[in-house]
Amino acid sequence: MTLTHFDAQGQAHMVDVAAKAATHRIAVATGRIEMLPDTLRLIESGTAKKGDVLGIARIAGIQAAKKTSDLIPLCHPLALTRVAVDFGVDAAASHVTCQATVETVGPTGVEMEALTAVQVALLTIYDMCKAVDRGMTITDVKLLEKSGGKSGHWLAR
């Protein structure tokens, strides 16, 4: 097995996708942010000092997916056809889960865009709530599923 972002001389390069078929590609990623129960109550009530935390985090995640190639040096700029960022609140465990689904029709996948959307959405929650809870922890960010392209469908175990 070889890493695709290195050429024969071991130099980093952007993978050439010109000969790859344009297919419908989907990636789903997830992650969560753990916090104090009082912090979660602020988020749920919509009374956080900076406003609608999850609404703003959703927009940040969508924007991040669109800007992934500006952040990750060897990612291709992609024309995304769909970005959805959703949140789940678990009061008992005192955390918010984020799930991002990203789609395109093109020659390369959207896994990095889905992962970036999750990370930035969770970072936005942190930023908006850090005044009351600097001990929040972002954890378990991972790819759940991807489909399309030569490698087909992949599902996390």
Side-chain angles (χ1 to χ4, degrees):
M1 184 175 288
T2 61
L3 297 174
T4 58
H5 286 91
F6 295 98
D7 64 17
Q9 292 74 41
Q11 301 297 311
H13 72 105
M14 184 182 268
V15 175
D16 182 359
V17 296
K20 293 173 74 177
T23 63
H24 183 215
R25 296 166 186 267
I26 303 169
V28 181
T30 190
R32 75 172 185 260
I33 185 166
E34 300 168 352
M35 62 196 65
L36 296 171
D38 286 344
T39 308
L40 187 59
R41 281 191 284 279
L42 277 174
I43 291 171
E44 288 183 296
S45 71
T47 59
K49 186 175 182 180
K50 293 185 178 181
D52 175 12
V53 173
L54 297 183
I56 294 168
R58 176 175 290 108
I59 297 301
I62 292 167
Q63 183 177 340
K66 293 167 33 177
K67 295 286 191 179
T68 298
S69 67
D70 291 338
L71 300 169
I72 311 295
L74 300 179
C75 281
H76 293 83
L78 302 177
L80 303 180
T81 57
R82 177 174 177 250
V83 179
V85 177
D86 297 302
F87 298 99
V89 175
D90 186 333
S94 194
H95 70 250
V96 175
T97 301
C98 177
Q99 182 170 301
T101 303
V102 180
E103 298 185 38
T104 194
V105 175
T108 189
V110 287
E111 298 95 295
M112 293 307 298
E113 288 74 9
L115 288 162
T116 301
V118 167
Q119 288 281 42
V120 171
L122 295 173
L123 284 167
T124 300
I125 292 170
Y126 186 95
D127 177 53
M128 294 186 70
C129 298
K130 70 182 181 280
V132 296
D133 186 358
R134 293 198 188 274
M136 291 176 283
T137 302
I138 295 171
T139 186
D140 295 333
V141 175
K142 62 184 175 182
L143 185 68
L144 292 178
E145 184 175 7
K146 65 96 33 212
S147 63
K150 187 173 74 172
S151 62
H153 187 250
W154 178 87
L155 188 63
R157 296 181 239 190

